[in-house]
Amino acid sequence: MDHRHDGRGNFLVEGSEYPEPDPGYTPVYPWAGAPTEPDQLLHTRLRVRPGLEHQPGGGNEELGEPEDSSTDRHGLNFPSNVAKNVYVNRDIEFVDDNSMSDELLSDAKLVSASSTSSSHESLSRGRSGSKRGRGRDRGGVQRELPKKGIKRGQRKPLEPSVEFKALHSQATMAFIDNDFEEAEKLALKAIGVNPEMFPAHSLLSEVHMARGHPAKALAALWNGAHTRPRDIQVWLRVAQLILERGGEDKNSATRDAIYCFNRIIAVDSSDVKARHQRAALHRDLGNHGKAAYDYEYLLKQFPHETTILRLLAETYIDLDDVDKAIFHYNHSYSHYQVKEPKQVISVSWSDINVYAELYGIKREYAKGIDQIKSLSRWLLGRGSDTFWGDFDTDDREWDFEDEPRRTLAKGFVAGQHDAALYGNGLPIELRIKLGIYRLNMGEQYLHEAIKHFAWLDPKDSRPGAKLFEYPDLFREVADALHSKSVLTEALKFYEPLQQLRNYTDVSFLENMAACYRAVGQNKLAISCYQSIIDSNSSNVEAELQLIGLCEEFGIDRASVTEKALAVGKTPDPKQGCNTEASNDDLSLQSFAMITPRISRTPAKDTRASQKSIREKAKAEDAYTLFLRMRKVKETAQEGDLGHKFQWMLAAKTLIQDFQSEKLFFPYDRYVRFYGYSKEARKKSLNMRSADIAAEASTRRLGSSSLAEGVDDCQNQIPDEFLGIPFHAWLDIFLEYAMALSHSGDTKKAYEVISSASEANVFYHCPESLLLIYVCWFTCALMANDEKTLCSVARWFIKDYQFVSDAYRLFSALNRLCNTGNSWFRNSRTQKYILRQIKAMDYSIVPNARKESLFSERAGYSTKDEDGNWITAKALDLALLMLYGHILYVGKSYSFSINYFLRAFALDPNNPIINLSLALGYIHYAIKRQADNRHQLIVQGFAFLFAYYSIRQDSDLAIERQEAEYNVARAYHLLGLTDPAIAYYLRCLALDPDVRSTHTGDLAENFATEAAFALQGLWVASGNFVKAREVAEKWLVI
């Protein structure tokens, strides 16, 4: 390896982006403090092996340790895979959350471990009664030892050097101008000057990403993240990049992502998202014990949460410890069942199904049946009918009709509950599980099991039959009956499945052959075995069975094969199947028509042919679902719950098919979709990184043309998938997301919308992207999710920069949210809007001043069709008022007044601007820090009466009433009750005019508010008579 010295104690490795530390040189970063002793230095830095630099992907890196110990002298165990070129900040307390054992410790074990640790600690300090030892004088008096080490706690962020600021600014501008090579050089120089500054690492990562080097981008961000050890967002971003671009070694990438989540949890142990994702990654690696630990922790944070319960149950199944999962479910359902079902929205039928499945794994079928029946009864609102628990030998409670069995039950009163809360109220999945559990309990319960299975109606093969909606249940029932040797009944459920392609595998044909042999239909059994051999000639068992059958009944094997291949076809689902003919009447052609055939093709064409068949079948199934969705859509929107469920199920299936197409979700969303052919795929993959980055910087909603270099073949790009147009796919995504949000599943709704926004066929279509974000904020409004509203509204500001309606939309969305104003006045929102103002100011200042404000150009975010930045032509009143109100809500009244005054200079007769200025001055005067309260109040009332004068000139009575009320409120706020009462009375006097001109449910009227305030004032002054009069006249409904 070629080493060159850079003059500062570092070696430069050829091909490396970062200087490699000299083994003999000991750098000390400023944030770690200055070590005072050599021993302390060992504890405040990590050892770096010469010639090596950590790259994410290797899972076996370890922290450097003190040469004489494996732990820190403060007793902290460090994680085992921290980057080697990062120095430990002693202010950080590492939590060894990654080194937990797969086996969970019980409380007793934890107490035992704690006591053992305490005893070891006391031994290391010496006996408490001894007067000898370190730290004591001869007289036994404890002397104070000098404090070593650096000060703990949060430290003030370091200020970047002047040189770093200059280099970073130049690198940023080079990146904006798409000069990525120069941006990379400048970013590396900035890192060399101040390696502890995260912005330089982040910028270098963005440069690498724009150049199409995701591995280098990830390495740069990984190194930079260690300069922000307590920044959760940085570590979360690194983890996401690792998972998205982890490369071929998935396990190593998963371990690196777990390390990132460990850092997040070490900073904030209550971070639900990080702990949830870490648990999922542990499950992917097979660390089920660690995953169970995280889910147990989440369950303590959110007791009885069914989503966590389900994940925990799956994890305990993997750990072969089903008892713990059952314990948690028992505890949670005991909590829920004391409430009314309408008070519990988190428990669904699928949760009961998972719970019952746990008993099936334990083979405790009687307990599983009891839980299914009791929980279903409770969820249907019949929890008080406990007498059904006495009927443990049958399930008459869930019969279709009261007669004959249900009426015989002691305690049952016909008509007490709706009939739909009995037989029809039980979901078909749980009913089939009841039947399977009855079947497994013994032969005496076979009749009861058959009653449940009959609900699938296997003879119905018409379109819309249960066969096409629940084929998995048909297969499950058939296999269960086959396993119990009830072959005649099993055949009733196997035969309908021949109409479906996805359920006719080898085991299906083997089981069918066994059933046919049991009922004496040997020719059909021969046909099944022949189909198996046709698909897999190496199946020795099927070959032996076929030979035995042919010899037993004297059938020529060659003639069977030849005729079967000649007539073998897949039956038409519309025609159904007829298997009631006798064995003697069945010709070879008839049973070949019943049994699905797998035609044999030449070896070289087998794979391509099968792929073509699968794609065609997938397209047919998808289009059938699409037609079914359109058929039931109207009635589903009108409130038909059955059709709504069918529509959502079909939409979910179609969306999963769309998401499985990798061409729509490339490694970089800037890669366009050119088609499904090999040439189109090569074109997408071979696009130069610089072209992709240039296209990314010019892509905005106002642009309808593609980047230069796209030839005329773009006109031939397909506009459909599986026979469904892309605009119809978008409708499916958005309507399904709206339906999920309306039903309360906002998280899944966001996932669906996010998936649509990441699909390149929608991302590069401005109209589609606009609809996606409109749907996004609509779902956020239904969920009252202010955080998502702010995030989505920022997209409109970014892609419609300097458009007043974008800023008005941002304000309106936050106004409609009822969770408060925490995200509206959040520091990130404030900084983002401030950058918009700076970009606007930069656009309109003279050219002579632009040189000193060149960095503000980075605030531009929209380009026109020619690739030029769209700049502001004048000051935007809506933007100034928006930022002023953000400051006002954050109680920064003095700063908000500055922006209100800028808006006032543009429109001095605007009543809202005058009112905002008035309130800003008055509230500022009330603050403790106000220097001259009298002056501020006078200024505020000057603007207030200017607003009052403008409103009084209005022809609308409601605007005049509004002015009276606001002036009264201002006096009331300052404790000036006499003028406040006068203006409140004027407000009430305008009530008849307001009512005569403004009608309807949404009509405004301030009379009620004024009366309520008047009542409070008169009660406070002791005038209860007037207070009663006002209340009786204005406040009594």
Side-chain angles (χ1 to χ4, degrees), residues 31 50 61 74 116 160-161 172 205 262 286 365 373 494 534 573 616 646 760 768 771 792 794 832 841 943 966 1036:
W31 71 81
E61 293 84 1
H74 294 282
T116 304
S161 63
T172 303
S205 176
N262 287 344
Y365 302 114
K373 293 163 68 174
Y494 275 130
D534 291 342
K616 185 178 179 181
Q646 293 180 20
N760 54 6
S768 298
L771 289 175
V792 174
R794 284 176 60 166
Y832 181 76
D841 292 342
F943 286 107
N966 284 331
V1036 176

Side-chain angles (χ1 to χ4, degrees), residues 673-830:
F673 171 73
Y674 290 102
Y676 305 104
S677 64
K678 290 184 178 180
E679 293 75 14
R681 298 187 185 194
K682 289 180 180 179
K683 182 174 182 180
S684 298
L685 295 175
N686 294 335
M687 287 183 66
R688 292 181 302 171
S689 301
D691 293 340
I692 294 175
E695 184 180 344
S697 63
T698 58
R699 186 212 60 80
R700 287 296 178 261
L701 284 177
S703 175
S704 60
S705 62
L706 295 178
E708 295 182 2
V710 178
D711 52 23
D712 295 336
C713 73
Q714 180 183 343
N715 297 327
Q716 302 174 359
I717 295 177
D719 60 352
E720 54 82 23
F721 175 62
L722 298 179
I724 304 174
F726 285 137
H727 66 83
W729 279 108
L730 181 61
D731 291 342
I732 294 172
F733 270 89
L734 303 186
E735 290 173 359
Y736 181 62
M738 295 278 286
L740 286 173
S741 183
H742 189 266
S743 62
D745 200 345
T746 309
K747 182 179 178 181
K748 287 185 179 179
Y750 289 164
E751 291 174 355
V752 171
I753 300 174
S754 177
S755 178
S757 68
E758 293 170 359
N760 54 6
V761 292
F762 302 140
Y763 179 79
H764 295 283
C765 178
E767 294 80 8
S768 298
L769 206 58
L770 177 61
L771 289 175
I772 288 172
Y773 278 91
V774 169
C775 177
W776 209 329
F777 75 64
T778 304
C779 292
L781 280 174
M782 285 194 286
N784 216 21
D785 184 358
E786 186 183 11
K787 180 180 179 181
T788 302
L789 275 177
C790 283
S791 177
V792 174
R794 284 176 60 166
W795 178 86
F796 287 92
I797 294 177
K798 175 176 70 69
D799 280 59
Y800 291 99
Q801 194 176 27
F802 307 129
V803 176
S804 297
D805 285 344
Y807 306 120
R808 294 190 180 101
L809 178 64
F810 185 91
S811 302
L813 291 177
N814 281 276
R815 175 65 182 85
L816 291 172
C817 193
N818 298 322
T819 59
N821 51 24
S822 58
W823 284 97
F824 178 72
R825 59 183 174 86
N826 183 271
S827 61
R828 294 184 179 181
T829 303
Q830 179 180 338

Side-chain angles (χ1 to χ4, degrees), residues 876-886 899-900 903 912-913 916:
D876 194 302
L877 190 66
L879 177 58
L880 292 171
M881 290 298 292
L882 171 61
Y883 187 64
H885 281 106
I886 290 174
Y899 292 92
F900 290 151
I912 301 302
I913 296 176
S916 300

Side-chain angles (χ1 to χ4, degrees), residues 18 354 552 844:
Y18 293 93
V354 172
E552 182 179 353
I844 61 178

Side-chain angles (χ1 to χ4, degrees), residues 36 73 357 569 632 834 917:
T36 57
R73 63 176 175 178
E357 187 66 30
K569 296 179 181 179
V632 303
L834 180 59
L917 278 167

Side-chain angles (χ1 to χ4, degrees), residues 618 622 625 629 648-662 664-665 721-722 729 732-733 736 740 748 751-752 755:
K618 184 178 179 180
L625 279 177
M629 285 180 60
M648 293 188 68
L649 184 64
K652 180 180 179 180
T653 304
L654 287 175
I655 288 173
Q656 290 174 347
D657 289 341
F658 187 92
Q659 292 172 333
S660 65
E661 180 55 63
K662 296 181 179 179
F664 299 150
F665 300 92
F721 175 62
L722 298 179
W729 279 108
I732 294 172
F733 270 89
Y736 181 62
L740 286 173
K748 287 185 179 179
E751 291 174 355
V752 171
S755 178

